[in-house]
Amino acid sequence: MTEAASTTDRAGTLTLGGASGRWVLAAVVLGSGMTLLDGTVVNVALPTIGKDLGATLAGLQWTINAYTLTLAALILLGGSLGDRFGRRKLFMIGTVWFALASLLCGIAPSIEMLIGARALQGVGGALLTPGSLALIQASFASRDRARAIGVWSGLGGIAGALGPLLGGWLVDAVSWRWVFFINLPLAALVIVVAARHVPESRGESVSGGFDVAGAVLGAVGLAGVTYALIAAGGSHPDITAVCVSGVVGLAAFAGFVVTERRSPHPMLPPRLFANRQFTAANLVTFAVYAALGGLFFFLVLELQTEAGYSPLASGTALLPITVIMLALSERAGRLAERIGPRIPMTVGPAISAVGLLLMTRIGADASYVADVLPAVCVFALGLAATVAPLTATVLGAADIRLAGTASGVNNAVARAAGLLAVAALPLMAGLSGDDYEDPAAFGHGFRVAVVICAGMLVVGSLLAWFGIRSDVLRETPEEPVKPVPPCKHYCAIGAPPLQCGVRPPTGEAGEAGEAAGGGPGMRKDAPPGA
């Protein structure tokens, strides 16, 4: 028996108590944790990267957005490729791709090279990220699947929590380049474990083509609008380039909508949005994650530029967010199951908005205990109340057969929201050029930006209150048993009406069926038991 055959046979039978199950979980946690770590570790290094490579604020925006752009545009396509060609295979290809792109980031001699390498990193992340959860879903027995996903989520959160702390330490102790080099040993370990212990799986019922046109149009739309927003905020913007890229981006988005409606295999199935709860939950996602993306871009810059914190101190300052999230997210999920998600999804963003308004007190020589910590804790309490109910609502509102696609769509919406926020907020806050090196100018822009982010959270709160039902997470009652439609053969005389609504003929036709051995009153072509 070949390795591929043997691994396929094991799919769907692993348990958390077995060694094989623990190895699979280790591989996917390390792989997805690597991308989560990279997502938080880079923000802390931005000021140092900018000074070392002589980058403008736009260069720092693209350092974040080049990765987010390709990841958001291709993550759904990456999931489809894994279903078709093998989830383990795509997971491993994505891991290798991500590692090589990380190496290019670490040796980049200029900000332009770094931005290009970050875009390649996003492609690797789009191949790697969908596969991690899909492998758990396909490999574990149903009774252990929820627990495995819980462990994956919790350990992934710890990886994200370590990002700012690890990034700050690497920047202070060694170099910002090690923020990217740290991915290489992690990727090597993932490849070894996945090759030896992770079973291959595919979507056996997957058929048809790929929505390549949708992926291309989505990427062009995001790139065009993002470029226009970032370029418009430059010191001396090229108005022609801004207008052309903006028009191209908007036209690509329009083409994307048309393509998804007409494609036989759409990357973003329009029928998902026929469910008003799913649509409302994704609108809340967009508002909340736009605020999060903007905040995390600005906050670490503010702490280092105006407040005078070191990279390590600014990374450590964000640690309470993850600690509170890990402590309270599960409880928030249980509360949403008991009382419904509407109230947590309304109250949570409103509390986070209060935390952002408290952050306007952060300035020159800000006290961590008096100015930073209270704001961060209030923000984190609201976030903990929001995220688990929001995720549960997205999945609960979708048809169970489309749960994987619904999760991928929501992930893409969240990434796109952060992408556009990082592109637009510096323009809205009046920041450009090397303002991130000017404490007074950046401090003023930071306070404008966090007020705008607080407004987006209030919008998310209102969308939840008016758009989300409290009963969306309740189990859907079983549909009543429908009567069996009339069979195309004649059943036995005296059959109950629900078994067959067609009465058999009498006389010659019935006698012919009986003579053929079909039983009294049956046609000779009736199947046994009809």
Side-chain angles (χ1 to χ4, degrees):
M1 180 182 290
T2 65
E3 182 184 359
S6 63
T7 55
T8 301
D9 291 343
R10 290 162 51 202
T13 63
L14 304 183
T15 63
L16 274 177
S20 297
R22 289 195 294 269
W23 277 116
V24 170
L25 198 56
V28 297
V29 165
L30 284 170
S32 59
M34 180 174 63
T35 61
L36 290 169
L37 182 69
D38 192 83
T40 55
V41 78
V42 175
N43 280 9
V44 178
L46 286 177
T48 307
I49 291 172
K51 292 173 184 175
D52 191 31
L53 298 181
T56 63
L57 182 62
L60 300 187
Q61 288 173 271
W62 276 114
T63 300
I64 297 297
N65 278 349
Y67 173 80
T68 312
L69 171 63
T70 50
L71 179 61
L74 301 176
I75 192 168
L76 292 176
L77 185 62
S80 299
L81 290 170
D83 289 341
R84 176 69 60 84
F85 297 112
R87 299 179 181 112
R88 182 185 69 167
K89 181 184 294 184
L90 264 291
F91 178 78
M92 293 174 67
I93 290 172
T95 301
V96 172
W97 188 307
F98 191 89
L100 293 176
S102 297
L103 176 62
L104 292 177
C105 290
I107 63 176
S110 66
I111 192 66
E112 292 79 12
M113 288 285 291
L114 177 59
I115 290 169
R118 286 284 285 166
L120 290 175
Q121 255 193 327
V123 177
L127 299 177
L128 162 63
T129 302
S132 59
L133 192 55
L135 282 170
I136 292 178
Q137 190 77 7
S139 301
F140 280 88
S142 58
R143 65 181 181 276
D144 275 10
R145 203 170 289 151
R147 287 176 56 212
I149 291 173
V151 172
W152 170 81
S153 178
L155 293 178
I158 292 173
L162 291 175
L165 191 62
L166 178 61
W169 178 76
L170 288 172
V171 171
D172 275 350
V174 192
S175 165
W176 64 264
R177 298 182 183 276
W178 276 92
V179 166
F180 300 104
F181 290 151
I182 194 68
N183 292 327
L184 301 180
L186 290 175
L189 183 58
V190 171
I191 291 298
V192 170
V193 174
R196 291 176 60 88
H197 300 286
V198 176
E200 183 60 284
S201 66
R202 293 176 176 83
E204 299 299 337
S205 61
V206 173
S207 60
F210 295 106
D211 186 15
V212 176
V216 171
L217 287 169
V220 171
L222 286 172
V225 172
T226 302
Y227 180 85
L229 291 171
I230 293 177
S235 301
H236 304 286
D238 184 338
I239 300 302
T240 302
V242 169
C243 291
V244 169
S245 61
V247 169
V248 169
L250 292 175
F253 277 138
F256 175 78
V257 172
V258 172
T259 299
E260 298 309 282
R261 287 181 176 276
R262 295 180 177 177
S263 172
H265 307 284
M267 185 173 72
L268 194 76
R271 68 182 183 275
L272 276 173
F273 292 93
N275 186 310
R276 294 174 63 181
Q277 294 299 291
F278 182 80
T279 301
N282 277 283
L283 289 174
V284 176
T285 297
F286 190 90
V288 169
Y289 279 85
L292 295 185
L295 173 70
F296 287 124
F297 177 77
F298 274 94
L299 183 55
V300 290
L301 286 170
E302 168 67 7
L303 289 174
Q304 294 180 56
T305 299
E306 189 179 23
Y309 285 34
S310 68
L312 178 58
S314 64
T316 307
L318 304 182
L319 200 55
I321 296 176
T322 308
V323 172
I324 290 173
M325 288 286 293
L326 289 175
L328 299 181
S329 288
E330 185 183 355
R331 291 179 174 85
R334 290 203 303 266
L335 178 65
E337 288 179 352
R338 188 165 66 250
I339 68 172
R342 185 188 188 195
I343 292 177
M345 287 174 61
T346 300
V347 174
I351 293 174
S352 290
V354 173
L356 289 190
L357 293 178
L358 291 175
M359 290 181 191
T360 58
R361 301 167 57 205
I362 299 174
D365 302 317
S367 164
Y368 179 71
V369 174
D371 300 318
V372 180
L373 183 61
V376 166
C377 288
V378 172
F379 169 75
L381 287 171
L383 197 60
T386 304
V387 173
L390 176 55
T391 304
T393 301
V394 168
L395 295 178
D399 188 313
I400 192 168
R401 293 168 297 180
L402 296 174
T405 303
S407 177
V409 168
N410 189 247
N411 196 317
V413 168
R415 305 279 184 174
L419 169 74
L420 295 174
V422 172
L425 279 172
L427 172 64
M428 299 170 73
L431 295 171
S432 63
D434 57 0
D435 284 348
Y436 71 93
E437 296 184 76
D438 182 339
F442 190 84
H444 173 73
F446 166 76
R447 283 178 274 282
V448 173
V450 294
V451 170
I452 294 171
C453 289
M456 287 189 284
L457 287 170
V458 171
V459 170
S461 177
L462 293 173
L463 286 169
W465 177 254
F466 289 107
I468 301 298
R469 295 198 319 266
S470 293
D471 62 351
V472 70
L473 298 183
R474 292 178 188 165
E475 263 188 59
T476 305
E478 292 185 11
E479 293 184 5
V481 178
K482 296 179 180 178
V484 178
C487 70
K488 59 185 177 181
H489 304 291
Y490 292 117
C491 296
I493 293 177
L498 292 183
Q499 181 177 338
C500 180
V502 181
R503 303 301 299 172
T506 56
E508 209 174 294
E511 292 169 2
E514 186 176 346
M522 295 187 66
R523 286 175 47 170
K524 61 182 177 181
D525 57 348

Coordinates of all heavy atoms in Angstrom, one line a residue, residues 134-189:
A134 N -8.9 22.9 7.8 CA -9.4 21.9 7.0 C -8.8 20.5 7.4 O -9.5 19.5 7.3 CB -9.2 22.2 5.5
L135 N -7.5 20.5 7.7 CA -6.9 19.2 8.1 C -7.4 18.7 9.4 O -7.6 17.5 9.6 CB -5.4 19.4 8.2 CG -4.6 19.5 6.9 CD1 -3.2 19.9 7.1 CD2 -4.6 18.1 6.2
I136 N -7.7 19.6 10.3 CA -8.4 19.1 11.6 C -9.8 18.5 11.3 O -10.1 17.5 11.7 CB -8.5 20.3 12.6 CG1 -7.1 20.7 13.1 CG2 -9.4 19.9 13.8 CD1 -7.1 21.9 14.0
Q137 N -10.5 19.3 10.5 CA -11.9 18.8 10.1 C -11.9 17.5 9.4 O -12.7 16.6 9.7 CB -12.5 19.9 9.2 CG -14.0 19.7 9.0 CD -14.8 20.1 10.1 OE1 -14.3 20.7 11.1 NE2 -16.1 19.9 10.1
A138 N -10.9 17.2 8.6 CA -10.8 16.0 7.8 C -10.2 14.8 8.5 O -10.5 13.7 8.2 CB -10.1 16.3 6.5
S139 N -9.3 15.1 9.5 CA -8.5 14.1 10.1 C -9.0 13.5 11.3 O -8.9 12.3 11.6 CB -7.0 14.6 10.3 OG -6.4 15.1 9.2
F140 N -9.7 14.3 12.1 CA -10.2 13.9 13.4 C -11.6 13.3 13.4 O -12.4 13.7 12.6 CB -10.2 15.1 14.4 CG -8.8 15.4 15.0 CD1 -7.9 16.2 14.3 CD2 -8.3 14.8 16.1 CE1 -6.7 16.5 14.8 CE2 -7.1 15.0 16.6 CZ -6.2 15.9 16.0
A141 N -11.8 12.3 14.2 CA -13.1 11.7 14.4 C -14.1 12.8 14.9 O -13.7 13.8 15.6 CB -13.1 10.6 15.4
S142 N -15.3 12.7 14.5 CA -16.3 13.8 14.8 C -16.4 14.1 16.3 O -16.6 15.2 16.7 CB -17.7 13.4 14.3 OG -18.1 12.2 14.9
R143 N -16.2 13.1 17.2 CA -16.4 13.3 18.6 C -15.3 14.1 19.2 O -15.4 14.7 20.3 CB -16.5 12.0 19.4 CG -15.2 11.1 19.3 CD -15.4 9.8 20.0 NE -14.2 9.0 20.0 CZ -13.8 8.2 19.0 NH1 -14.6 8.1 18.0 NH2 -12.7 7.5 19.0
D144 N -14.1 14.2 18.5 CA -12.9 14.9 19.0 C -12.7 16.2 18.2 O -11.8 17.0 18.5 CB -11.7 14.1 19.0 CG -11.5 13.2 20.2 OD1 -12.5 13.2 21.0 OD2 -10.5 12.6 20.4
R145 N -13.5 16.4 17.2 CA -13.2 17.5 16.3 C -13.3 18.9 16.9 O -12.5 19.8 16.8 CB -14.1 17.4 15.1 CG -13.6 18.1 13.8 CD -14.5 17.8 12.6 NE -14.3 16.4 12.2 CZ -15.3 15.6 11.7 NH1 -16.5 16.1 11.5 NH2 -15.0 14.4 11.4
A146 N -14.4 19.1 17.7 CA -14.6 20.4 18.4 C -13.5 20.7 19.4 O -13.0 21.8 19.5 CB -16.0 20.4 19.1
R147 N -13.1 19.6 20.1 CA -12.0 19.8 21.1 C -10.7 20.2 20.4 O -9.9 21.0 20.8 CB -11.8 18.6 22.0 CG -12.9 18.4 23.0 CD -12.7 17.1 23.7 NE -11.4 17.0 24.3 CZ -10.7 15.9 24.5 NH1 -11.2 14.7 24.1 NH2 -9.5 15.9 25.1
A148 N -10.4 19.5 19.3 CA -9.2 19.8 18.5 C -9.2 21.2 18.0 O -8.2 21.9 18.0 CB -9.1 18.8 17.4
I149 N -10.4 21.7 17.5 CA -10.4 23.1 17.0 C -10.2 24.0 18.2 O -9.6 25.1 18.0 CB -11.8 23.3 16.3 CG1 -11.9 22.5 15.0 CG2 -12.0 24.8 16.0 CD1 -13.2 22.5 14.3
G150 N -10.8 23.7 19.4 CA -10.6 24.5 20.5 C -9.1 24.7 20.9 O -8.6 25.8 21.2
V151 N -8.4 23.5 20.9 CA -7.0 23.5 21.2 C -6.2 24.4 20.2 O -5.3 25.2 20.5 CB -6.4 22.1 21.3 CG1 -4.9 22.1 21.4 CG2 -7.1 21.4 22.5
W152 N -6.6 24.1 18.9 CA -5.9 24.9 17.8 C -6.1 26.4 18.0 O -5.2 27.2 17.8 CB -6.5 24.4 16.5 CG -6.2 25.2 15.3 CD1 -5.0 25.2 14.5 CD2 -7.0 26.2 14.6 NE1 -5.1 26.0 13.5 CE2 -6.2 26.7 13.5 CE3 -8.2 26.8 14.9 CZ2 -6.7 27.7 12.7 CZ3 -8.7 27.8 14.1 CH2 -8.0 28.2 13.0
S153 N -7.3 26.8 18.3 CA -7.7 28.2 18.5 C -6.9 28.8 19.7 O -6.3 29.9 19.6 CB -9.2 28.4 18.7 OG -9.5 29.7 18.9
G154 N -6.9 28.1 20.8 CA -6.2 28.6 22.0 C -4.7 28.7 21.8 O -4.1 29.7 22.2
L155 N -4.1 27.7 21.3 CA -2.6 27.7 21.1 C -2.3 28.8 20.0 O -1.2 29.4 20.1 CB -2.1 26.4 20.7 CG -2.2 25.3 21.8 CD1 -1.7 24.0 21.3 CD2 -1.4 25.7 23.0
G156 N -3.1 28.9 19.0 CA -2.9 30.0 18.0 C -3.0 31.3 18.6 O -2.2 32.2 18.3
G157 N -3.9 31.5 19.6 CA -4.0 32.8 20.3 C -2.7 33.1 21.1 O -2.3 34.2 21.2
I158 N -2.1 32.1 21.7 CA -0.9 32.3 22.4 C 0.2 32.7 21.5 O 1.1 33.6 21.8 CB -0.5 31.0 23.2 CG1 -1.5 30.7 24.3 CG2 0.9 31.0 23.7 CD1 -1.3 29.4 25.0
A159 N 0.3 32.1 20.3 CA 1.3 32.5 19.3 C 1.1 33.9 18.9 O 2.1 34.7 18.8 CB 1.2 31.6 18.0
G160 N -0.1 34.4 18.7 CA -0.4 35.8 18.4 C 0.1 36.7 19.6 O 0.6 37.8 19.4
A161 N -0.2 36.2 20.8 CA 0.2 37.0 22.0 C 1.7 37.2 22.1 O 2.2 38.2 22.5 CB -0.3 36.3 23.2
L162 N 2.5 36.1 21.7 CA 3.9 36.2 21.8 C 4.5 37.1 20.8 O 5.7 37.6 21.0 CB 4.5 34.8 21.7 CG 4.2 33.8 22.8 CD1 4.8 32.4 22.5 CD2 4.9 34.3 24.1
G163 N 3.8 37.4 19.7 CA 4.3 38.2 18.6 C 4.9 39.6 19.0 O 6.1 39.8 18.8
P164 N 4.1 40.5 19.6 CA 4.7 41.8 20.0 C 5.8 41.6 21.0 O 6.8 42.4 20.8 CB 3.5 42.5 20.7 CG 2.3 41.8 20.1 CD 2.7 40.4 19.9
L165 N 5.7 40.7 21.9 CA 6.8 40.5 22.9 C 8.1 40.0 22.2 O 9.2 40.6 22.4 CB 6.4 39.6 24.0 CG 7.2 39.4 25.2 CD1 7.3 40.8 26.0 CD2 6.7 38.4 26.2
L166 N 7.9 39.0 21.4 CA 9.1 38.4 20.7 C 9.7 39.4 19.7 O 10.9 39.6 19.6 CB 8.7 37.1 20.0 CG 9.8 36.4 19.2 CD1 10.9 36.0 20.1 CD2 9.2 35.2 18.5
G167 N 8.8 40.1 19.0 CA 9.2 41.1 18.0 C 10.0 42.2 18.7 O 11.1 42.6 18.2
G168 N 9.5 42.7 19.8 CA 10.2 43.8 20.5 C 11.6 43.3 21.0 O 12.6 44.1 20.9
W169 N 11.6 42.1 21.5 CA 12.9 41.6 22.0 C 13.9 41.4 20.8 O 15.1 41.8 21.0 CB 12.7 40.3 22.7 CG 14.0 39.7 23.2 CD1 14.7 40.1 24.3 CD2 14.8 38.6 22.6 NE1 15.9 39.3 24.4 CE2 15.9 38.4 23.3 CE3 14.5 37.8 21.4 CZ2 16.9 37.4 23.0 CZ3 15.5 36.9 21.1 CH2 16.6 36.7 21.9
L170 N 13.5 40.8 19.7 CA 14.4 40.6 18.6 C 14.9 42.0 18.0 O 16.1 42.1 17.7 CB 13.6 39.8 17.5 CG 13.4 38.4 17.7 CD1 12.5 37.8 16.7 CD2 14.7 37.6 17.8
V171 N 14.0 43.0 17.9 CA 14.4 44.3 17.4 C 15.4 44.9 18.3 O 16.5 45.4 17.9 CB 13.2 45.2 17.2 CG1 13.7 46.6 16.9 CG2 12.3 44.7 16.1
D172 N 15.2 44.8 19.6 CA 16.1 45.4 20.6 C 17.4 44.7 20.7 O 18.5 45.3 20.8 CB 15.5 45.5 22.0 CG 14.6 46.7 22.2 OD1 14.6 47.6 21.3 OD2 13.8 46.8 23.1
A173 N 17.4 43.3 20.7 CA 18.5 42.5 21.0 C 19.4 42.2 19.8 O 20.6 42.0 19.9 CB 18.1 41.3 21.8
V174 N 18.7 42.0 18.7 CA 19.5 41.5 17.5 C 19.3 42.5 16.3 O 20.0 43.4 16.1 CB 19.0 40.1 17.1 CG1 20.0 39.5 16.1 CG2 18.9 39.2 18.3
S175 N 18.2 42.3 15.6 CA 17.9 43.1 14.4 C 16.4 42.9 14.0 O 15.9 41.8 14.2 CB 18.8 42.8 13.2 OG 18.4 43.3 12.0
W176 N 15.8 43.9 13.3 CA 14.5 43.7 12.8 C 14.4 42.5 11.8 O 13.3 41.9 11.6 CB 13.9 45.0 12.2 CG 14.7 45.4 11.0 CD1 15.7 46.4 10.9 CD2 14.4 45.0 9.6 NE1 16.1 46.5 9.6 CE2 15.3 45.7 8.8 CE3 13.6 44.1 9.0 CZ2 15.4 45.6 7.4 CZ3 13.6 43.9 7.6 CH2 14.5 44.6 6.8
R177 N 15.5 42.2 11.2 CA 15.5 41.1 10.2 C 15.2 39.8 10.8 O 14.6 38.9 10.1 CB 16.9 41.1 9.4 CG 17.2 42.4 8.7 CD 18.5 42.4 7.9 NE 18.7 43.7 7.3 CZ 18.2 44.0 6.1 NH1 17.5 43.2 5.4 NH2 18.5 45.2 5.6
W178 N 15.5 39.6 12.1 CA 15.2 38.3 12.7 C 13.7 38.2 13.0 O 13.2 37.1 13.3 CB 16.0 38.2 14.0 CG 17.4 37.7 13.7 CD1 18.5 38.4 13.4 CD2 17.7 36.3 13.5 NE1 19.6 37.6 13.1 CE2 19.1 36.3 13.2 CE3 17.1 35.1 13.7 CZ2 19.8 35.1 13.0 CZ3 17.8 33.9 13.5 CH2 19.1 33.9 13.1
V179 N 12.9 39.2 12.8 CA 11.5 39.1 12.9 C 11.0 38.2 11.8 O 10.0 37.5 11.9 CB 10.9 40.5 12.8 CG1 9.4 40.4 12.5 CG2 11.1 41.3 14.0
F180 N 11.7 38.2 10.7 CA 11.4 37.3 9.5 C 12.2 36.0 9.6 O 11.6 34.9 9.2 CB 11.6 38.0 8.2 CG 10.8 39.3 8.1 CD1 11.4 40.5 8.2 CD2 9.4 39.2 7.8 CE1 10.6 41.7 8.1 CE2 8.7 40.3 7.7 CZ 9.2 41.6 7.8
F181 N 13.4 36.0 10.0 CA 14.2 34.8 10.0 C 13.7 33.8 11.0 O 13.9 32.6 10.8 CB 15.7 35.2 10.4 CG 16.4 35.9 9.3 CD1 17.5 36.8 9.7 CD2 16.1 35.8 8.0 CE1 18.2 37.5 8.7 CE2 16.9 36.4 7.0 CZ 17.9 37.3 7.4
I182 N 13.0 34.2 12.0 CA 12.4 33.3 13.0 C 11.5 32.3 12.4 O 11.2 31.2 12.9 CB 11.7 34.1 14.2 CG1 11.5 33.2 15.4 CG2 10.4 34.7 13.7 CD1 12.7 32.8 16.1
N183 N 10.9 32.6 11.2 CA 10.0 31.7 10.6 C 10.7 30.5 10.0 O 10.0 29.5 9.7 CB 9.2 32.5 9.4 CG 8.3 33.5 10.0 OD1 7.7 33.4 11.1 ND2 8.1 34.6 9.3
L184 N 11.9 30.6 9.7 CA 12.6 29.5 9.0 C 12.7 28.2 9.8 O 12.3 27.1 9.3 CB 14.0 29.9 8.5 CG 14.0 31.2 7.6 CD1 15.5 31.5 7.2 CD2 13.2 30.9 6.3
P185 N 13.2 28.2 11.0 CA 13.2 27.0 11.8 C 11.8 26.5 12.1 O 11.5 25.3 12.1 CB 13.9 27.3 13.1 CG 13.9 28.8 13.2 CD 13.9 29.3 11.8
L186 N 10.8 27.4 12.3 CA 9.4 26.9 12.5 C 8.9 26.2 11.3 O 8.3 25.2 11.4 CB 8.5 28.2 12.9 CG 8.8 28.8 14.2 CD1 7.9 30.1 14.3 CD2 8.5 27.9 15.4
A187 N 9.1 26.8 10.1 CA 8.7 26.1 8.9 C 9.3 24.8 8.7 O 8.6 23.8 8.3 CB 8.9 27.0 7.7
A188 N 10.6 24.6 9.0 CA 11.3 23.4 8.8 C 10.7 22.3 9.7 O 10.4 21.2 9.3 CB 12.8 23.5 9.1
L189 N 10.3 22.7 11.0 CA 9.7 21.7 11.9 C 8.3 21.3 11.4 O 7.9 20.2 11.5 CB 9.6 22.4 13.3 CG 9.1 21.5 14.4 CD1 9.9 20.3 14.6 CD2 9.0 22.3 15.7

